[in-house]
Amino acid sequence: MSALPQPETDIGFDLIIVGAGFAGMYMLHKARGMGLRARVFEAGDGVGGTWYWNRYPGARCDVESMEYSYQFSDDLQQDWRWTERFAPQPEILRYANHVADRFDLRADIRFETRVLSAQFEESSARWTVRTDRGDVVTGQYLVMATGCLSSTNMPAFPGLGSFKGQSYHTGAWPHEPVDFTGKRVGVIGTGSSAIQSIPIIAEQASELVVFQRTANYSVPARNAPLDPGYEAEVKAEYTAFRERNSQMMGALGARIQVPDRPALSATPEQHRQEFDKAWERGGLGFQRSFNDLMIDSRANEIAKSYVHERIRAMVKDPATAELLCPTAVLGCKRMCVDSGYFDTFNLPHVKLVDIRPKGIEAITPTGVRAAGQDFALDAIVYATGFDAMTGSLLKVDIRGRDGLRLADAWSAGPRTYLGLNVAGFPNLFTISGPGSPSVLTNMIVSIEQHVNWIGGCIDWMRANNVPGKTRVFMPLLGFPPYVERCNQVAASGYEGFELRA
Ligand code: NAP
């Protein structure tokens, strides 16, 4: 790896961008296109954000690959070729790197550099940003492109740290392959990350113990190689395809045709027919099978019963099947999309442990204590999620007007304007911040919408009088006399110009 650059003390940036995931990369590209000077700081040693950190086995996107990509460049979306219906993490990371290369983004990104603080200086109306590598830079605008799911959540389990085996967190997975062959592995958590990784870990481990607090809804992905015919079809009308998706609640899935009718007015046979169709199709479209599933609890119960029935049919041990049946409202938390999750519990070496009501009692030197029992393990996988949405923002000591700390401004929960801006923090933008649709949508679409909005806002700021700026008339009236004068100066050998060879 090449040596890291010397700390920087540039006070002339227009934009400081924190994070080089999909949000930071596009913000940089947009800023450059507007003729702005931008500096990006990124803690990792590469681009990709969430897809850089989440390298756990089985990690893949739950949005179809033809939809989960940038649309700002038609050449890019035409050239790039996905290989599967749902792209796996390594392919999404390759895509992020391709974008960085294609638009030469790395030149303006400082990697392995974590932003520690950002302070708004009232007198200059600029943000001063300090990093853990000694950079002190200023910019007129500060864009927090830190991602919604990038700060890992590690619960303070008693005895955490005492375990003598290997410990992993799904959200900060090692870059080197992890081999669980012949090992006794424990997975704590049954969210999306766990549901994706459990079937793969089970293929290697000699014993797998899954510690579950809350069962989750999951529908089959039915992942498969991407159909070249479908790819060509989409590419032939990509703009219209994107436009249709942008009209959807989650900015995805417009191609899935569902009957626009309520479950409550359908017969049990019609319920079965629609749910079966959605289950066989795979993916997140399941919860759109009827138009009242998310607005009427009685309709939601019908969908919930169908999923329970499916789980009971897949999982052979009745007690395990009951534990895997979620009781929450279907779709209240984003549903998971899996490849063989429920079937995994039929394997003789896989065990599900219900940790309610006491939770994980302790991490011990030899494993996990839960449900009144000690489980001896060689490795523990913490699939315990993230300090979502605000975690990464509050890790940076952000201070706005009069030294107001963002952490204090948000002590009673985050308050933003459209998830983009915070009162008392001028010229600070948060991409997919709390209060915007963010994690309940196709994230790349939400990111692009925000970056385009921020670009438009900055454009407007530049076109309109900026507060604090001396009001003078700056352009010259009259093009022909101006050109004539320029030509005269050139003919005189640029007399009066300050030029250095
Ligand atoms: P998550 O959904 O927050 O799941 C965390 C799991 O850890 C839950 O089962 C939770 O149980 C458990 N847990 C947390 N603290 C615990 C504690 N103290 N004791 C015992 N169990 C504990 O995290 P995630 O699976 O990493 O997913 C996070 C988000 O990323 C989700 O919104 C998901 O949609 C998204 N994601 C998407 C994809 C994809 O695109 N395919 C893949 C992965 C993740 P409780 O439920 O009881 O709290």
Side-chain angles (χ1 to χ4, degrees), residues 51 54 56 59-63 149 153 155-157 169-171 188-196 211-216 333-337 355 359-360 383-386 439:
W51 299 105
N54 284 266
Y56 59 84
R60 91 176 48 248
C61 192
D62 58 4
V63 177
L149 301 170
N153 167 46
F157 296 121
H169 193 291
T170 47
I188 300 177
T190 48
S192 259
S193 305
I195 283 177
Q196 289 186 331
F211 299 95
Q212 172 182 278
R213 189 164 67 179
T214 312
N216 251 307
K333 181 177 174 180
R334 183 170 172 143
M335 290 180 83
C336 304
V337 174
I355 62 170
I360 298 290
T384 45
F386 300 89
V439 290

mmCIF file of all heavy atoms in Angstrom, residues 51 54 56 59-63 149 153 155-157 169-171 188-196 211-216 333-337 355 359-360 383-386 439, ligand 1:
data_model
loop_
_atom_site.group_PDB
_atom_site.id
_atom_site.type_symbol
_atom_site.label_atom_id
_atom_site.label_comp_id
_atom_site.label_asym_id
_atom_site.label_seq_id
_atom_site.Cartn_x
_atom_site.Cartn_y
_atom_site.Cartn_z
ATOM 1 N N TRP A 51 -20.870 -1.466 1.814
ATOM 2 C CA TRP A 51 -20.448 -2.651 1.047
ATOM 3 C C TRP A 51 -18.955 -2.910 1.167
ATOM 4 O O TRP A 51 -18.463 -3.945 0.744
ATOM 5 C CB TRP A 51 -20.882 -2.519 -0.416
ATOM 6 C CG TRP A 51 -22.370 -2.427 -0.490
ATOM 7 C CD1 TRP A 51 -23.105 -1.308 -0.736
ATOM 8 C CD2 TRP A 51 -23.322 -3.481 -0.255
ATOM 9 N NE1 TRP A 51 -24.444 -1.592 -0.674
ATOM 10 C CE2 TRP A 51 -24.610 -2.914 -0.382
ATOM 11 C CE3 TRP A 51 -23.205 -4.841 0.055
ATOM 12 C CZ2 TRP A 51 -25.776 -3.667 -0.222
ATOM 13 C CZ3 TRP A 51 -24.366 -5.582 0.225
ATOM 14 C CH2 TRP A 51 -25.627 -4.997 0.077
ATOM 15 N N ASN A 54 -19.313 -4.553 5.206
ATOM 16 C CA ASN A 54 -20.148 -5.748 5.441
ATOM 17 C C ASN A 54 -19.769 -6.892 4.502
ATOM 18 O O ASN A 54 -20.429 -7.134 3.507
ATOM 19 C CB ASN A 54 -21.624 -5.380 5.278
ATOM 20 C CG ASN A 54 -22.146 -4.627 6.476
ATOM 21 O OD1 ASN A 54 -22.706 -5.210 7.403
ATOM 22 N ND2 ASN A 54 -21.923 -3.327 6.482
ATOM 23 N N TYR A 56 -19.545 -10.119 5.411
ATOM 24 C CA TYR A 56 -19.879 -11.404 6.040
ATOM 25 C C TYR A 56 -20.342 -12.396 4.971
ATOM 26 O O TYR A 56 -20.806 -12.004 3.891
ATOM 27 C CB TYR A 56 -20.953 -11.201 7.125
ATOM 28 C CG TYR A 56 -22.244 -10.612 6.640
ATOM 29 C CD1 TYR A 56 -23.232 -11.410 6.073
ATOM 30 C CD2 TYR A 56 -22.484 -9.247 6.731
ATOM 31 C CE1 TYR A 56 -24.413 -10.868 5.627
ATOM 32 C CE2 TYR A 56 -23.673 -8.696 6.286
ATOM 33 C CZ TYR A 56 -24.634 -9.513 5.733
ATOM 34 O OH TYR A 56 -25.803 -8.977 5.275
ATOM 35 N N ALA A 59 -23.432 -12.042 2.250
ATOM 36 C CA ALA A 59 -23.937 -10.658 2.158
ATOM 37 C C ALA A 59 -24.339 -10.360 0.720
ATOM 38 O O ALA A 59 -23.551 -10.554 -0.216
ATOM 39 C CB ALA A 59 -22.871 -9.677 2.619
ATOM 40 N N ARG A 60 -25.541 -9.911 0.563
ATOM 41 C CA ARG A 60 -25.996 -9.526 -0.780
ATOM 42 C C ARG A 60 -27.136 -8.529 -0.638
ATOM 43 O O ARG A 60 -27.749 -8.428 0.432
ATOM 44 C CB ARG A 60 -26.333 -10.756 -1.609
ATOM 45 C CG ARG A 60 -27.674 -11.287 -1.602
ATOM 46 C CD ARG A 60 -27.937 -12.459 -2.545
ATOM 47 N NE ARG A 60 -26.995 -13.561 -2.547
ATOM 48 C CZ ARG A 60 -26.190 -13.861 -3.575
ATOM 49 N NH1 ARG A 60 -26.218 -13.111 -4.669
ATOM 50 N NH2 ARG A 60 -25.385 -14.888 -3.523
ATOM 51 N N CYS A 61 -27.408 -7.799 -1.684
ATOM 52 C CA CYS A 61 -28.422 -6.762 -1.618
ATOM 53 C C CYS A 61 -29.814 -7.376 -1.732
ATOM 54 O O CYS A 61 -30.007 -8.365 -2.440
ATOM 55 C CB CYS A 61 -28.195 -5.761 -2.737
ATOM 56 S SG CYS A 61 -29.191 -4.295 -2.505
ATOM 57 N N ASP A 62 -30.788 -6.781 -1.020
ATOM 58 C CA ASP A 62 -32.161 -7.293 -1.123
ATOM 59 C C ASP A 62 -32.967 -6.524 -2.175
ATOM 60 O O ASP A 62 -34.160 -6.740 -2.335
ATOM 61 C CB ASP A 62 -32.868 -7.280 0.243
ATOM 62 C CG ASP A 62 -32.918 -5.896 0.880
ATOM 63 O OD1 ASP A 62 -32.485 -4.933 0.238
ATOM 64 O OD2 ASP A 62 -33.391 -5.792 2.028
ATOM 65 N N VAL A 63 -32.282 -5.603 -2.876
ATOM 66 C CA VAL A 63 -32.914 -4.901 -4.005
ATOM 67 C C VAL A 63 -32.305 -5.489 -5.273
ATOM 68 O O VAL A 63 -31.099 -5.740 -5.324
ATOM 69 C CB VAL A 63 -32.632 -3.383 -3.939
ATOM 70 C CG1 VAL A 63 -33.223 -2.665 -5.145
ATOM 71 C CG2 VAL A 63 -33.173 -2.795 -2.639
ATOM 72 N N LEU A 149 -26.227 2.772 8.062
ATOM 73 C CA LEU A 149 -25.910 1.504 8.717
ATOM 74 C C LEU A 149 -24.410 1.272 8.652
ATOM 75 O O LEU A 149 -23.931 0.380 7.967
ATOM 76 C CB LEU A 149 -26.659 0.362 8.020
ATOM 77 C CG LEU A 149 -28.183 0.497 7.998
ATOM 78 C CD1 LEU A 149 -28.811 -0.543 7.078
ATOM 79 C CD2 LEU A 149 -28.772 0.376 9.391
ATOM 80 N N ASN A 153 -23.335 -2.039 16.108
ATOM 81 C CA ASN A 153 -23.891 -2.110 17.459
ATOM 82 C C ASN A 153 -23.343 -3.352 18.142
ATOM 83 O O ASN A 153 -23.612 -4.476 17.713
ATOM 84 C CB ASN A 153 -25.429 -2.194 17.384
ATOM 85 C CG ASN A 153 -26.038 -2.578 18.723
ATOM 86 O OD1 ASN A 153 -25.651 -2.027 19.757
ATOM 87 N ND2 ASN A 153 -26.959 -3.524 18.722
ATOM 88 N N PRO A 155 -23.621 -4.927 21.678
ATOM 89 C CA PRO A 155 -24.226 -4.797 23.011
ATOM 90 C C PRO A 155 -23.199 -5.066 24.110
ATOM 91 O O PRO A 155 -22.270 -5.856 23.917
ATOM 92 C CB PRO A 155 -25.320 -5.864 23.005
ATOM 93 C CG PRO A 155 -25.570 -6.177 21.564
ATOM 94 C CD PRO A 155 -24.269 -5.968 20.867
ATOM 95 N N ALA A 156 -23.411 -4.407 25.243
ATOM 96 C CA ALA A 156 -22.454 -4.567 26.361
ATOM 97 C C ALA A 156 -22.798 -5.843 27.141
ATOM 98 O O ALA A 156 -23.210 -5.794 28.302
ATOM 99 C CB ALA A 156 -22.525 -3.338 27.256
ATOM 100 N N PHE A 157 -22.619 -6.996 26.500
ATOM 101 C CA PHE A 157 -22.910 -8.260 27.182
ATOM 102 C C PHE A 157 -21.942 -8.436 28.356
ATOM 103 O O PHE A 157 -20.739 -8.141 28.205
ATOM 104 C CB PHE A 157 -22.715 -9.444 26.220
ATOM 105 C CG PHE A 157 -23.669 -9.459 25.059
ATOM 106 C CD1 PHE A 157 -23.191 -9.419 23.750
ATOM 107 C CD2 PHE A 157 -25.039 -9.512 25.263
ATOM 108 C CE1 PHE A 157 -24.060 -9.451 22.665
ATOM 109 C CE2 PHE A 157 -25.919 -9.540 24.190
ATOM 110 C CZ PHE A 157 -25.438 -9.504 22.900
ATOM 111 N N HIS A 169 -17.890 -9.375 13.970
ATOM 112 C CA HIS A 169 -19.150 -8.643 13.848
ATOM 113 C C HIS A 169 -19.473 -8.591 12.356
ATOM 114 O O HIS A 169 -18.601 -8.273 11.538
ATOM 115 C CB HIS A 169 -19.030 -7.226 14.412
ATOM 116 C CG HIS A 169 -20.370 -6.558 14.595
ATOM 117 N ND1 HIS A 169 -21.159 -6.182 13.529
ATOM 118 C CD2 HIS A 169 -21.068 -6.242 15.716
ATOM 119 C CE1 HIS A 169 -22.291 -5.652 14.000
ATOM 120 N NE2 HIS A 169 -22.259 -5.674 15.318
ATOM 121 N N THR A 170 -20.733 -8.900 12.013
ATOM 122 C CA THR A 170 -21.094 -8.927 10.585
ATOM 123 C C THR A 170 -20.817 -7.585 9.892
ATOM 124 O O THR A 170 -20.466 -7.553 8.718
ATOM 125 C CB THR A 170 -22.582 -9.288 10.400
ATOM 126 O OG1 THR A 170 -23.360 -8.504 11.313
ATOM 127 C CG2 THR A 170 -22.835 -10.755 10.631
ATOM 128 N N GLY A 171 -20.958 -6.497 10.656
ATOM 129 C CA GLY A 171 -20.792 -5.167 10.053
ATOM 130 C C GLY A 171 -19.354 -4.692 9.995
ATOM 131 O O GLY A 171 -19.096 -3.567 9.529
ATOM 132 N N ILE A 188 -25.139 -14.578 17.206
ATOM 133 C CA ILE A 188 -26.076 -13.837 18.063
ATOM 134 C C ILE A 188 -26.838 -12.846 17.187
ATOM 135 O O ILE A 188 -26.237 -11.982 16.545
ATOM 136 C CB ILE A 188 -25.324 -13.098 19.195
ATOM 137 C CG1 ILE A 188 -24.566 -14.108 20.064
ATOM 138 C CG2 ILE A 188 -26.309 -12.273 20.031
ATOM 139 C CD1 ILE A 188 -23.734 -13.491 21.175
ATOM 140 N N GLY A 189 -28.146 -12.993 17.144
ATOM 141 C CA GLY A 189 -28.976 -12.114 16.318
ATOM 142 C C GLY A 189 -29.603 -12.883 15.171
ATOM 143 O O GLY A 189 -29.032 -13.876 14.680
ATOM 144 N N THR A 190 -30.796 -12.435 14.778
ATOM 145 C CA THR A 190 -31.487 -13.065 13.648
ATOM 146 C C THR A 190 -32.117 -11.997 12.746
ATOM 147 O O THR A 190 -33.244 -12.126 12.274
ATOM 148 C CB THR A 190 -32.583 -14.043 14.150
ATOM 149 O OG1 THR A 190 -33.365 -13.386 15.147
ATOM 150 C CG2 THR A 190 -31.991 -15.311 14.718
ATOM 151 N N GLY A 191 -31.353 -10.898 12.519
ATOM 152 C CA GLY A 191 -31.771 -9.873 11.561
ATOM 153 C C GLY A 191 -31.301 -10.267 10.170
ATOM 154 O O GLY A 191 -30.859 -11.404 9.932
ATOM 155 N N SER A 192 -31.358 -9.317 9.231
ATOM 156 C CA SER A 192 -30.977 -9.582 7.838
ATOM 157 C C SER A 192 -29.580 -10.180 7.703
ATOM 158 O O SER A 192 -29.366 -11.129 6.939
ATOM 159 C CB SER A 192 -30.968 -8.265 7.059
ATOM 160 O OG SER A 192 -32.118 -8.137 6.320
ATOM 161 N N SER A 193 -28.630 -9.578 8.430
ATOM 162 C CA SER A 193 -27.233 -10.028 8.292
ATOM 163 C C SER A 193 -27.106 -11.476 8.741
ATOM 164 O O SER A 193 -26.424 -12.290 8.091
ATOM 165 C CB SER A 193 -26.291 -9.139 9.114
ATOM 166 O OG SER A 193 -26.450 -7.791 8.748
ATOM 167 N N ALA A 194 -27.749 -11.809 9.866
ATOM 168 C CA ALA A 194 -27.700 -13.185 10.363
ATOM 169 C C ALA A 194 -28.394 -14.127 9.382
ATOM 170 O O ALA A 194 -27.877 -15.200 9.049
ATOM 171 C CB ALA A 194 -28.367 -13.257 11.733
ATOM 172 N N ILE A 195 -29.554 -13.712 8.927
ATOM 173 C CA ILE A 195 -30.361 -14.577 8.057
ATOM 174 C C ILE A 195 -29.619 -14.895 6.755
ATOM 175 O O ILE A 195 -29.732 -15.993 6.207
ATOM 176 C CB ILE A 195 -31.747 -13.912 7.829
ATOM 177 C CG1 ILE A 195 -32.599 -14.137 9.088
ATOM 178 C CG2 ILE A 195 -32.440 -14.436 6.580
ATOM 179 C CD1 ILE A 195 -33.964 -13.490 9.083
ATOM 180 N N GLN A 196 -28.817 -13.933 6.279
ATOM 181 C CA GLN A 196 -28.027 -14.200 5.071
ATOM 182 C C GLN A 196 -26.812 -15.074 5.373
ATOM 183 O O GLN A 196 -26.411 -15.892 4.545
ATOM 184 C CB GLN A 196 -27.547 -12.880 4.458
ATOM 185 C CG GLN A 196 -28.680 -12.085 3.821
ATOM 186 C CD GLN A 196 -28.171 -10.862 3.083
ATOM 187 O OE1 GLN A 196 -27.135 -10.297 3.432
ATOM 188 N NE2 GLN A 196 -28.889 -10.443 2.069
ATOM 189 N N PHE A 211 -28.545 -17.771 18.439
ATOM 190 C CA PHE A 211 -29.202 -17.196 19.612
ATOM 191 C C PHE A 211 -30.208 -16.151 19.142
ATOM 192 O O PHE A 211 -29.819 -15.109 18.604
ATOM 193 C CB PHE A 211 -28.157 -16.563 20.541
ATOM 194 C CG PHE A 211 -27.154 -17.568 21.049
ATOM 195 C CD1 PHE A 211 -25.921 -17.737 20.394
ATOM 196 C CD2 PHE A 211 -27.436 -18.355 22.159
ATOM 197 C CE1 PHE A 211 -25.000 -18.664 20.850
ATOM 198 C CE2 PHE A 211 -26.514 -19.287 22.621
ATOM 199 C CZ PHE A 211 -25.289 -19.451 21.965
ATOM 200 N N GLN A 212 -31.485 -16.459 19.335
ATOM 201 C CA GLN A 212 -32.539 -15.580 18.814
ATOM 202 C C GLN A 212 -33.309 -14.883 19.935
ATOM 203 O O GLN A 212 -33.774 -15.529 20.874
ATOM 204 C CB GLN A 212 -33.534 -16.401 17.979
ATOM 205 C CG GLN A 212 -34.772 -15.604 17.558
ATOM 206 C CD GLN A 212 -35.766 -16.428 16.771
ATOM 207 O OE1 GLN A 212 -35.615 -16.612 15.569
ATOM 208 N NE2 GLN A 212 -36.789 -16.936 17.444
ATOM 209 N N ARG A 213 -33.446 -13.560 19.806
ATOM 210 C CA ARG A 213 -34.298 -12.815 20.745
ATOM 211 C C ARG A 213 -35.672 -12.586 20.101
ATOM 212 O O ARG A 213 -36.692 -12.755 20.717
ATOM 213 C CB ARG A 213 -33.637 -11.487 21.117
ATOM 214 C CG ARG A 213 -34.339 -10.766 22.238
ATOM 215 C CD ARG A 213 -33.492 -9.677 22.856
ATOM 216 N NE ARG A 213 -33.235 -8.571 21.946
ATOM 217 C CZ ARG A 213 -32.531 -7.492 22.265
ATOM 218 N NH1 ARG A 213 -31.996 -7.395 23.479
ATOM 219 N NH2 ARG A 213 -32.339 -6.524 21.401
ATOM 220 N N THR A 214 -35.628 -12.148 18.813
ATOM 221 C CA THR A 214 -36.889 -11.869 18.118
ATOM 222 C C THR A 214 -36.851 -12.522 16.740
ATOM 223 O O THR A 214 -35.901 -12.306 15.979
ATOM 224 C CB THR A 214 -37.072 -10.341 17.928
ATOM 225 O OG1 THR A 214 -36.816 -9.687 19.176
ATOM 226 C CG2 THR A 214 -38.472 -10.003 17.461
ATOM 227 N N ALA A 215 -37.878 -13.306 16.444
ATOM 228 C CA ALA A 215 -37.928 -13.925 15.107
ATOM 229 C C ALA A 215 -38.249 -12.855 14.065
ATOM 230 O O ALA A 215 -38.945 -11.887 14.352
ATOM 231 C CB ALA A 215 -38.997 -15.005 15.091
ATOM 232 N N ASN A 216 -37.717 -13.047 12.863
ATOM 233 C CA ASN A 216 -37.901 -12.057 11.801
ATOM 234 C C ASN A 216 -38.626 -12.637 10.600
ATOM 235 O O ASN A 216 -38.522 -13.833 10.334
ATOM 236 C CB ASN A 216 -36.519 -11.591 11.324
ATOM 237 C CG ASN A 216 -36.252 -10.177 11.750
ATOM 238 O OD1 ASN A 216 -37.062 -9.292 11.494
ATOM 239 N ND2 ASN A 216 -35.127 -9.968 12.394
ATOM 240 N N LYS A 333 -40.838 -3.872 10.399
ATOM 241 C CA LYS A 333 -39.400 -3.802 10.172
ATOM 242 C C LYS A 333 -39.178 -4.327 8.754
ATOM 243 O O LYS A 333 -39.890 -5.259 8.345
ATOM 244 C CB LYS A 333 -38.684 -4.689 11.194
ATOM 245 C CG LYS A 333 -37.183 -4.666 11.065
ATOM 246 C CD LYS A 333 -36.507 -5.501 12.134
ATOM 247 C CE LYS A 333 -35.015 -5.552 11.840
ATOM 248 N NZ LYS A 333 -34.276 -6.323 12.803
ATOM 249 N N ARG A 334 -38.240 -3.739 8.018
ATOM 250 C CA ARG A 334 -37.993 -4.195 6.651
ATOM 251 C C ARG A 334 -37.844 -5.714 6.632
ATOM 252 O O ARG A 334 -37.041 -6.266 7.386
ATOM 253 C CB ARG A 334 -36.728 -3.516 6.112
ATOM 254 C CG ARG A 334 -36.409 -3.852 4.672
ATOM 255 C CD ARG A 334 -35.293 -2.938 4.191
ATOM 256 N NE ARG A 334 -34.779 -3.297 2.892
ATOM 257 C CZ ARG A 334 -34.402 -2.408 1.988
ATOM 258 N NH1 ARG A 334 -34.490 -1.115 2.243
ATOM 259 N NH2 ARG A 334 -33.921 -2.792 0.841
ATOM 260 N N MET A 335 -38.591 -6.378 5.757
ATOM 261 C CA MET A 335 -38.524 -7.839 5.694
ATOM 262 C C MET A 335 -37.142 -8.288 5.226
ATOM 263 O O MET A 335 -36.452 -7.546 4.524
ATOM 264 C CB MET A 335 -39.583 -8.379 4.733
ATOM 265 C CG MET A 335 -40.998 -8.225 5.253
ATOM 266 S SD MET A 335 -42.199 -8.888 4.085
ATOM 267 C CE MET A 335 -42.137 -10.630 4.502
ATOM 268 N N CYS A 336 -36.769 -9.486 5.586
ATOM 269 C CA CYS A 336 -35.489 -10.032 5.117
ATOM 270 C C CYS A 336 -35.754 -10.861 3.870
ATOM 271 O O CYS A 336 -36.879 -11.301 3.614
ATOM 272 C CB CYS A 336 -34.868 -10.929 6.176
ATOM 273 S SG CYS A 336 -34.647 -10.098 7.758
ATOM 274 N N VAL A 337 -34.687 -11.058 3.120
ATOM 275 C CA VAL A 337 -34.753 -11.859 1.894
ATOM 276 C C VAL A 337 -33.649 -12.896 2.030
ATOM 277 O O VAL A 337 -32.500 -12.546 2.257
ATOM 278 C CB VAL A 337 -34.521 -10.950 0.665
ATOM 279 C CG1 VAL A 337 -34.426 -11.765 -0.600
ATOM 280 C CG2 VAL A 337 -35.653 -9.917 0.546
ATOM 281 N N ILE A 355 -33.542 -16.948 23.469
ATOM 282 C CA ILE A 355 -32.864 -16.296 24.610
ATOM 283 C C ILE A 355 -33.794 -15.353 25.383
ATOM 284 O O ILE A 355 -33.343 -14.631 26.261
ATOM 285 C CB ILE A 355 -31.577 -15.557 24.168
ATOM 286 C CG1 ILE A 355 -31.903 -14.433 23.175
ATOM 287 C CG2 ILE A 355 -30.575 -16.547 23.617
ATOM 288 C CD1 ILE A 355 -30.716 -13.526 22.907
ATOM 289 N N GLY A 359 -32.233 -12.742 27.644
ATOM 290 C CA GLY A 359 -31.207 -12.329 26.689
ATOM 291 C C GLY A 359 -29.932 -13.134 26.858
ATOM 292 O O GLY A 359 -29.929 -14.208 27.479
ATOM 293 N N ILE A 360 -28.857 -12.636 26.302
ATOM 294 C CA ILE A 360 -27.554 -13.291 26.483
ATOM 295 C C ILE A 360 -27.129 -13.019 27.924
ATOM 296 O O ILE A 360 -27.003 -11.857 28.326
ATOM 297 C CB ILE A 360 -26.513 -12.696 25.488
ATOM 298 C CG1 ILE A 360 -26.932 -12.951 24.025
ATOM 299 C CG2 ILE A 360 -25.107 -13.224 25.776
ATOM 300 C CD1 ILE A 360 -26.852 -14.380 23.559
ATOM 301 N N ALA A 383 -24.156 -10.719 15.099
ATOM 302 C CA ALA A 383 -24.946 -10.175 13.982
ATOM 303 C C ALA A 383 -25.964 -9.214 14.587
ATOM 304 O O ALA A 383 -27.160 -9.294 14.336
ATOM 305 C CB ALA A 383 -25.631 -11.311 13.225
ATOM 306 N N THR A 384 -25.429 -8.330 15.435
ATOM 307 C CA THR A 384 -26.285 -7.504 16.298
ATOM 308 C C THR A 384 -26.588 -6.129 15.709
ATOM 309 O O THR A 384 -27.059 -5.249 16.428
ATOM 310 C CB THR A 384 -25.641 -7.381 17.692
ATOM 311 O OG1 THR A 384 -24.240 -7.112 17.530
ATOM 312 C CG2 THR A 384 -25.814 -8.658 18.488
ATOM 313 N N GLY A 385 -26.289 -5.950 14.435
ATOM 314 C CA GLY A 385 -26.768 -4.757 13.751
ATOM 315 C C GLY A 385 -25.949 -3.497 13.980
ATOM 316 O O GLY A 385 -24.744 -3.556 14.261
ATOM 317 N N PHE A 386 -26.647 -2.379 13.899
ATOM 318 C CA PHE A 386 -25.980 -1.083 13.827
ATOM 319 C C PHE A 386 -26.562 -0.082 14.821
ATOM 320 O O PHE A 386 -27.705 -0.202 15.237
ATOM 321 C CB PHE A 386 -26.138 -0.502 12.418
ATOM 322 C CG PHE A 386 -25.554 -1.383 11.364
ATOM 323 C CD1 PHE A 386 -26.329 -2.374 10.767
ATOM 324 C CD2 PHE A 386 -24.223 -1.259 10.990
ATOM 325 C CE1 PHE A 386 -25.784 -3.213 9.801
ATOM 326 C CE2 PHE A 386 -23.676 -2.103 10.030
ATOM 327 C CZ PHE A 386 -24.458 -3.079 9.435
ATOM 328 N N VAL A 439 -33.570 4.209 4.835
ATOM 329 C CA VAL A 439 -33.442 2.746 4.874
ATOM 330 C C VAL A 439 -34.699 1.978 4.463
ATOM 331 O O VAL A 439 -34.637 0.764 4.265
ATOM 332 C CB VAL A 439 -33.012 2.240 6.271
ATOM 333 C CG1 VAL A 439 -31.588 2.614 6.570
ATOM 334 C CG2 VAL A 439 -33.930 2.768 7.362
HETATM 335 P P1 NAP B 1 -30.645 -5.899 12.773
HETATM 336 O O1 NAP B 1 -31.715 -6.077 11.778
HETATM 337 O O2 NAP B 1 -30.705 -4.742 13.693
HETATM 338 O O3 NAP B 1 -30.590 -7.243 13.621
HETATM 339 C C1 NAP B 1 -29.834 -7.327 14.787
HETATM 340 C C2 NAP B 1 -30.135 -8.641 15.461
HETATM 341 O O4 NAP B 1 -29.357 -8.706 16.641
HETATM 342 C C3 NAP B 1 -31.594 -8.762 15.876
HETATM 343 O O5 NAP B 1 -32.003 -10.076 15.750
HETATM 344 C C4 NAP B 1 -31.550 -8.324 17.336
HETATM 345 O O6 NAP B 1 -32.583 -8.837 18.105
HETATM 346 C C5 NAP B 1 -30.218 -8.913 17.753
HETATM 347 N N1 NAP B 1 -29.703 -8.209 18.912
HETATM 348 C C6 NAP B 1 -29.325 -6.907 18.994
HETATM 349 N N2 NAP B 1 -28.946 -6.620 20.236
HETATM 350 C C7 NAP B 1 -29.069 -7.770 20.959
HETATM 351 C C8 NAP B 1 -28.840 -8.101 22.307
HETATM 352 N N3 NAP B 1 -28.407 -7.204 23.183
HETATM 353 N N4 NAP B 1 -29.062 -9.368 22.686
HETATM 354 C C9 NAP B 1 -29.504 -10.289 21.817
HETATM 355 N N5 NAP B 1 -29.756 -10.035 20.518
HETATM 356 C C10 NAP B 1 -29.544 -8.779 20.104
HETATM 357 O O7 NAP B 1 -29.203 -5.862 12.104
HETATM 358 P P2 NAP B 1 -28.759 -6.441 10.693
HETATM 359 O O8 NAP B 1 -29.221 -7.821 10.508
HETATM 360 O O9 NAP B 1 -27.301 -6.196 10.589
HETATM 361 O O10 NAP B 1 -29.541 -5.525 9.677
HETATM 362 C C11 NAP B 1 -29.525 -4.112 9.844
HETATM 363 C C12 NAP B 1 -30.206 -3.421 8.702
HETATM 364 O O11 NAP B 1 -29.442 -3.627 7.547
HETATM 365 C C13 NAP B 1 -31.592 -3.916 8.411
HETATM 366 O O12 NAP B 1 -32.457 -2.815 8.297
HETATM 367 C C14 NAP B 1 -31.513 -4.599 7.112
HETATM 368 O O13 NAP B 1 -32.632 -4.377 6.293
HETATM 369 C C15 NAP B 1 -30.252 -4.030 6.507
HETATM 370 N N6 NAP B 1 -29.579 -5.117 5.806
HETATM 371 C C16 NAP B 1 -29.879 -5.269 4.506
HETATM 372 C C17 NAP B 1 -29.292 -6.282 3.809
HETATM 373 C C18 NAP B 1 -29.627 -6.464 2.407
HETATM 374 O O14 NAP B 1 -29.693 -5.565 1.623
HETATM 375 N N7 NAP B 1 -29.868 -7.662 2.050
HETATM 376 C C19 NAP B 1 -28.413 -7.151 4.417
HETATM 377 C C20 NAP B 1 -28.114 -6.958 5.752
HETATM 378 C C21 NAP B 1 -28.708 -5.925 6.429
HETATM 379 P P3 NAP B 1 -33.917 -7.980 18.346
HETATM 380 O O15 NAP B 1 -34.620 -7.985 17.026
HETATM 381 O O16 NAP B 1 -34.610 -8.664 19.436
HETATM 382 O O17 NAP B 1 -33.460 -6.590 18.711
#
